[in-house]
Amino acid sequence: MANWYSECSPLERRTFWASFGGWGLDALDVQMFSLAIPALITAFGISKADAGLLGSVTLFFGAFGGWLGGALGDRFGRVKALQITVATFALATFACAFATSYPQLLVLKAIQGIGFGAEWACGAVLMAEIIRAEHRGKALGAVQSAWAVGWGAAVLLSALVFTYAPAEIAWRILFAVGLIPALLILYIRRGLKEPPRAASRAAEPPFFATLAGIFHRDVLRSTLIGGLFGIGAHGGYAALTTFLPTFLREVRHLSVLGSSAYLAVIIVAFFCGCVASGIISDRIGRRANVTLFAAACVVTVLVYIFAPLSNSQMLVLGFPLGFFSAGIPASMAALFSELYPAGVRGTGVGFCYNFGRIVSAAFPFLVGYLSDHIGLGAAIGIDAAFAYSLVLVAVLMLPETRGKVFEQATAARA
């Protein structure tokens, strides 16, 4: 990481850290939900399927937010859209702390989903347009690794809060804390500059034309296959992580602190996998990189869930599980950005990355439903393996885009 980072301009570095921080805070706010599921089930007297629906609602509206956020970035500028989206997901997370009923929580999780879906689309395209082509995969892979940082912070906060606070108020404390760090990101992003194309807004198309532009015949194939890619990537991740803490506690009978140790291994591995995927992607190409990580995901998930492993063996296998599951999302920002021309790049990236959430929103609910019939472990394993298989199918139909130079790259560095 140090070599490519040392070659970056001050603008590229500021953009990197702003995007890294925003995505990390997204992860902090979103992952606190999965860690609070057992407490939410007790607090509101809901089933696992109801809890899974909360996650599904967040994913579904995240898809809408990503499409909308990408189009807003194309139309009004990346930085302005980023500031709005950070405020949206942070305030929605904070409001979850004061929910008094299950329907209220559903609505607030929907608003949170809109915010974090839009934030990723704006931040990923901004970074893709600012960073030079030869470092795009490494930089965006490193940005994606911020999810592990936020996830790890959520695990630490959860272990601390649930250890020292009663369960009935601990989950409220977690959601309330989600507001605080976002204020720093809002301050940092005021110093960012729009990419030259976004700052020069001559002959802008109508906003709804921007939304529909990704269905033009010139880019329709990329949109359809990219959407399938998103379904597999998000479906696998959602099926695996939404109920993983619950699986470790209820099936493996680990305490909060014990399950946190297992999650820590996966989170560290996720960070390493994001960085490694970015490096490999720039060296061997986007398609070969995704194929490698997706195939490894299918095998590792099945072994982790179905093999008769001891707790110690699960701890060891947790590293490749987290490592390989990271490689797919870490490659998506660079790949999707390189599929689209400048005028619809934000819209295309936002749609492909987040459309998967519309369909993958069913995966947490399906895991919760199937767990009542075949057990939680089997439900997670089957759903996750199927989803990662979709990624393999999609990536084989996409073109290789490594090294693509964007229209405004030279002007941005200047």
Side-chain angles (χ1 to χ4, degrees), residues 306-372:
F306 292 111
L309 303 174
S310 67
N311 288 345
S312 298
Q313 290 171 329
M314 288 190 71
L315 183 63
V316 173
L317 190 60
F319 190 89
L321 178 67
F323 184 89
F324 292 126
S325 66
I328 299 172
S331 65
M332 292 169 73
L335 174 60
F336 291 159
S337 294
E338 292 162 349
L339 290 175
Y340 290 94
V344 294
R345 181 168 295 128
T347 310
V349 171
F351 180 86
C352 288
Y353 186 88
N354 290 285
F355 173 76
R357 289 194 171 114
I358 294 179
V359 179
S360 71
F363 280 75
F365 176 77
L366 187 60
V367 170
Y369 175 80
L370 289 178
S371 68
D372 293 332

Side-chain angles (χ1 to χ4, degrees), residues 207-269:
F207 180 65
F208 287 106
T210 301
L211 284 171
I214 59 173
F215 299 105
H216 187 274
R217 62 179 179 273
D218 291 342
V219 294
L220 180 60
R221 175 181 170 85
S222 295
T223 299
L224 295 177
I225 299 175
L228 178 64
F229 190 117
I231 292 172
H234 289 297
Y237 180 83
L240 181 63
T241 61
T242 300
F243 279 100
L244 185 58
T246 305
F247 171 76
L248 292 175
R249 294 171 195 173
E250 296 188 0
V251 179
R252 304 299 304 194
H253 305 295
L254 298 170
S255 65
V256 172
L257 290 176
S259 60
S260 296
Y262 281 78
L263 288 174
V265 172
I266 295 175
I267 291 168
V268 171

Side-chain angles (χ1 to χ4, degrees), residues 26 86 180 218 236 265 300 326:
D26 272 358
V86 170
I180 298 174
D218 291 342
V265 172
T300 309

Side-chain angles (χ1 to χ4, degrees), residues 374-393:
I374 62 175
L376 183 57
I380 293 173
I382 291 173
D383 280 18
F386 172 75
Y388 287 130
S389 298
L390 294 180
V391 175
L392 283 171
V393 173

Side-chain angles (χ1 to χ4, degrees), residues 28-51:
L28 174 70
D29 286 2
V30 172
Q31 290 300 131
M32 286 191 299
F33 162 71
S34 65
L35 295 164
I37 283 179
L40 293 174
I41 290 174
T42 301
F44 293 106
I46 57 178
S47 66
K48 288 187 179 70
D50 292 330

Side-chain angles (χ1 to χ4, degrees), residues 30-92:
V30 172
Q31 290 300 131
M32 286 191 299
F33 162 71
S34 65
L35 295 164
I37 283 179
L40 293 174
I41 290 174
T42 301
F44 293 106
I46 57 178
S47 66
K48 288 187 179 70
D50 292 330
L53 183 60
L54 288 169
S56 296
V57 164
T58 307
L59 293 174
F60 179 86
F61 282 91
F64 175 75
W67 189 13
L68 179 63
L72 288 173
D74 283 339
R75 185 65 172 80
F76 301 108
R78 318 293 187 209
V79 175
K80 183 182 295 183
L82 278 171
Q83 294 173 351
I84 295 171
T85 59
V86 170
T88 300
F89 80 73
L91 290 172

